């Protein structure tokens, strides 16, 4: 239950559809799990770009009236996660700018690893920044480029940046979508049933708006969308894929296809691998909802141990402004998760979760299950120990706060007060998702950073 690790955002772009902003809105709904702090949409009617963005969930930021003002046949959208104290509306996206070629808006999923260096260079050259977002670097780089066409300026700008980016740009007449050469973050291309194209962080957005998946935007590829034309592909960088394996572990929705494979199936595979490498006799397998569900199904099917719902999740608490006091700290978990006492009482249970970050949540879950009468609680984690932070667009705590960076598995087991604890190892995870270390990033488990 990765409440301390968060995907920083989702992007979407709609081109060539008369209800572009509405489709962007519905797509953002489907992508809400990738960021809940702010949402925004920019649309173009061919003459000018209009942007609406605000803090909050997509459903709070937009209504029928607001969407009606976002006219035109192209639109881009964004949902954002932000760290505490960094929730200014200025940092919500799309980022809009006027420059010598006209107007543009950008949405970005990822993290630029040389953002500070580029920003300092731009500031020395006289640029004035309005936000703390690395995305703003791109606006300045594009504005500063001496190329005549926007497409060449985008290429120019991306040659100065490093790190993780899935980007969608909107100009008055065109749309552009691009992934960094490593393809850390996903970005897929689809065709809308009654005309037009869509690009989105995950294919679950396509299903909602009735679009058909065509293919992923390739690492290092720039797609150009122009009226009455099929998208044109430009290979800006030689692809050297290092896709984020954590998309399969946790971020992506199980009904999405990410990097060409079903997320649900990959998670079931992880559970099946876990059953092979960490078997134990038990009465039932239960997931920590919702993240542990597909892996628990996989574990149950591979081991033959019945799958049960042992923990109920309350979906309606949202954000609570009352922080439980020290004495009431277990309340925080209990507000979200409740034990199914009649099911688990007196039973030996295997609990499947997707990861342990700080350990405090797992400890409270074990305590809650034991208080509800579970005889033994065996924790099984469907990913390797999270030992290193991410610099490629995922918000993780510092290394000092990652329990697996500072304790052995035995010590973590003792800390969370489980009867046993086992993780999936790196090789098994790679095997589960048909990957190798050559084409996937595994840095948060291995510390092997690429850039
Ligand atoms: S460090 Fe982890 S979360 Fe970040 S891109 Fe690599 S695999 Fe994904």
């Amino acid at each position: 239950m990765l409440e301390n690790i968060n995907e920083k955002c989702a992007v979407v772009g709609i081109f060539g559809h008369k209800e572009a902003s509405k489709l962007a809105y519905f797509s953002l709904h489907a992508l809400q799990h990738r960021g809940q702090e702010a949402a925004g949409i920019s649309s173009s009617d061919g003459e000018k770009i209009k942007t609406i963005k605000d803090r909050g969930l997509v459903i709070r930021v937009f209504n029928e009236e607001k969407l009606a003002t976002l006219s035109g046949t192209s639109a881009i959208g964004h949902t954002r996660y932000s760290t505490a104290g960094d929730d200014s509306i200025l940092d919500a996206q799309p980022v809009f700018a006027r420059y010598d070629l006209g107007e543009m808006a950008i949405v970005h999923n990822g993290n630029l690893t040389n953002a500070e260096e580029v920003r300092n260079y731009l500031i020395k050259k006289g640029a004035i920044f309005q936000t703390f977002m690395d995305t703003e670097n791109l606006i300045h780089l594009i504005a500063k480029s001496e190329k005549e066409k926007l497409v060449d300026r985008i290429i120019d700008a991306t040659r100065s940046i490093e790190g993780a980016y899935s980007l969608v740009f909107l100009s008055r007449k065109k749309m552009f979508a691009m992934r960094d050469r490593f393809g850390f973050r996903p970005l897929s291309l689809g065709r809308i049933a009654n005309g037009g194209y869509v690009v989105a962080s995950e294919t679950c957005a396509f299903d909602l708006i009735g679009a058909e998946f065509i293919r992923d935007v390739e690492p290092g590829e720039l797609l150009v969308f122009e009226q009455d034309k099929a998208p044109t592909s430009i290979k800006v960088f030689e692809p050297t894929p290092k896709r984020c394996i954590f998309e399969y572990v946790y971020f992506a929705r199980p009904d999405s296809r990410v990097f060409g494979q079903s997320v649900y199936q990959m998670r079931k595979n992880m559970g099946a691998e876990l059953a092979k490498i960490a078997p134990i006799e038990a009465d039932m397998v239960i997931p920590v909802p919702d993240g542990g569900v597909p892996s628990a199904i996989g574990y149950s099917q591979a081991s033959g141990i019945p799958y049960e719902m042992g923990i109920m999740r309350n979906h309606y608490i949202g954000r609570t402004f009352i922080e439980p006091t020290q004495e009431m700290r277990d309340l925080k978990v209990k507000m979200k998760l409740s034990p199914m006492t009649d099911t688990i009482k007196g039973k030996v249970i295997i609990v499947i979760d997707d990861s342990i970050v700080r350990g405090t949540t797992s400890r409270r879950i074990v305590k809650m299950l034991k208080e509800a009468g579970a005889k033994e609680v065996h924790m099984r984690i469907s990913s390797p120990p999270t030992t290193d932070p991410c610099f490629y667009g995922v918000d993780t705590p510092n290394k000092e706060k990652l329990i697996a960076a500072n304790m052995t598995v035995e010590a973590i087991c003792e800390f969370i007060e489980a009867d046993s604890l086992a993780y999936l190892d790196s090789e098994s995870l790679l095997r589960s998702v048909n990957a190798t270390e050559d084409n996937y990033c595994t840095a948060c488990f291995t510390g092997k950073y690429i850039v």
Side-chain angles (χ1 to χ4, degrees):
M1 198 194 185
L2 290 172
E3 58 186 17
N4 295 305
I5 291 191
N6 292 283
E7 177 69 62
K8 278 191 173 156
C9 28
V11 296
V12 63
I14 307 283
F15 192 84
H17 194 284
K18 59 181 188 318
E19 306 230 66
S21 61
K22 275 195 185 151
L23 295 191
Y25 166 79
F26 285 117
S27 302
L28 290 181
H29 259 292
L31 299 168
Q32 186 78 82
H33 59 289
R34 297 178 78 90
Q36 299 91 40
E37 298 295 329
I41 295 175
S42 293
S43 74
S44 172
D45 59 8
E47 298 299 319
K48 59 182 189 332
I49 294 176
K50 185 162 182 202
T51 302
I52 294 178
K53 57 184 177 178
D54 205 347
R55 282 200 291 267
L57 298 175
V58 178
I59 199 160
R60 194 194 82 78
V61 175
F62 296 99
N63 56 30
E64 186 93 42
E65 223 172 279
K66 284 184 185 168
L67 282 174
T69 66
L70 292 171
S71 54
T73 56
S74 55
I76 61 172
H78 190 264
T79 58
R80 177 169 193 271
Y81 168 80
S82 73
T83 50
D86 174 26
D87 59 355
S88 155
I89 180 62
L90 273 178
D91 287 345
Q93 295 191 26
V95 181
F96 169 80
R98 284 195 186 89
Y99 69 124
D100 60 331
L101 297 186
E103 296 181 338
M104 71 176 147
I106 303 182
V107 288
H108 172 203
N109 175 206
N111 219 28
L112 305 184
T113 47
N114 66 342
E116 209 178 311
E117 199 184 313
V118 173
R119 176 176 288 240
N120 290 340
Y121 162 80
L122 288 164
I123 288 172
K124 270 198 197 132
K125 292 274 171 201
I128 298 167
F129 282 80
Q130 287 191 23
T131 75
F132 294 107
M133 284 185 291
D134 43 9
T135 317
E136 205 182 344
N137 287 355
L138 277 160
I139 296 270
H140 287 287
L141 289 168
I142 289 169
K144 206 175 111 326
S145 168
E146 284 170 6
K147 303 279 183 201
E148 278 179 19
K149 291 182 179 167
L150 177 56
V151 63
D152 297 322
R153 289 195 183 194
I154 290 172
I155 294 170
D156 228 14
T158 54
R159 294 204 193 282
S160 305
I161 58 171
E162 279 170 19
Y165 51 87
S166 281
L167 295 159
V168 191
F169 301 81
L170 184 69
S171 70
R172 285 183 291 208
K173 308 259 187 222
K174 295 181 188 175
M175 188 175 87
F176 308 84
M178 182 163 182
R179 267 173 97 198
D180 65 79
R181 67 195 161 109
F182 302 105
F184 285 109
R185 311 256 65 88
L187 190 64
S188 299
L189 168 69
R191 187 181 292 104
I192 303 166
N194 49 357
Y197 292 93
V198 52
V199 284
S201 296
E202 286 182 41
T203 60
C204 60
F206 297 179
D207 300 330
L208 188 64
I209 63 169
E212 174 203 358
F213 171 79
I214 301 177
R215 65 178 177 87
D216 281 346
V217 179
E218 293 299 325
E221 181 185 26
L222 172 65
L223 281 180
V224 184
F225 298 81
E226 287 177 78
Q227 215 183 343
D228 303 324
K229 283 189 189 169
T232 333
S233 165
I234 301 171
K235 194 198 238 182
V236 180
F237 298 105
E238 201 53 48
T240 43
K242 286 284 181 187
R243 306 163 184 107
C244 169
I245 206 159
F246 230 99
E247 290 285 346
Y248 288 135
V249 172
Y250 175 72
F251 301 131
R253 249 173 55 166
D255 55 336
S256 285
R257 285 182 73 79
V258 163
F259 309 137
Q261 305 187 99
S262 151
V263 175
Y264 177 66
Q265 188 56 52
M266 297 305 109
R267 286 190 193 153
K268 272 176 66 180
N269 295 352
M270 289 173 212
E273 285 286 336
L274 197 50
K276 265 192 242 160
I277 65 164
I280 191 150
E281 274 184 36
D283 296 311
M284 64 182 70
V285 181
I286 69 165
V288 174
D290 296 322
V293 173
S295 300
I297 294 171
Y299 193 105
S300 164
Q301 289 175 352
S303 64
I305 300 170
Y307 172 90
E308 292 283 359
M309 225 169 98
I311 302 174
M312 186 68 201
R313 179 172 169 197
N314 182 350
H315 287 265
Y316 304 104
I317 61 164
R319 280 209 152 184
T320 164
F321 61 92
I322 307 171
E323 278 294 307
T325 58
Q326 190 64 10
E327 301 81 61
M328 293 167 74
R329 62 194 187 280
D330 292 341
L331 256 184
K332 210 170 170 183
V333 163
K334 283 187 181 160
M335 281 172 72
K336 281 189 193 163
L337 305 172
S338 323
M340 305 274 284
T341 308
D342 288 342
T343 313
I344 61 177
K345 202 169 180 180
K347 300 288 194 302
V348 175
I349 56 180
I350 299 170
V351 183
I352 309 284
D353 206 350
D354 41 36
S355 187
I356 298 179
V357 181
R358 293 171 198 250
T360 43
T361 304
S362 305
R363 184 184 161 104
R364 285 175 198 148
I365 289 171
V366 173
K367 188 172 176 222
M368 179 183 80
L369 294 169
K370 291 212 166 169
E371 281 175 357
K375 193 169 151 202
E376 289 175 28
V377 177
H378 300 274
M379 283 294 275
R380 295 291 179 269
I381 306 300
S382 61
S383 63
T386 310
T387 50
D388 294 86
C390 174
F391 301 105
Y392 311 133
V394 173
D395 184 55
T396 34
N398 302 334
K399 196 158 171 131
E400 309 85 70
K401 293 191 177 139
L402 294 170
I403 193 168
N406 302 292
M407 282 191 195
T408 62
V409 175
E410 294 71 35
I412 298 171
C413 182
E414 210 170 295
F415 175 75
I416 66 172
E417 295 177 15
D419 292 281
S420 75
L421 167 68
Y423 288 84
L424 200 63
D425 57 66
S426 278
E427 295 72 42
S428 308
L429 174 62
L430 288 164
R431 196 166 44 246
S432 307
V433 303
N434 309 309
T436 67
E437 261 194 14
D438 291 340
N439 54 21
Y440 274 77
C441 173
T442 57
C444 48
F445 309 128
T446 58
K448 293 180 192 164
Y449 294 102
I450 299 130
V451 278

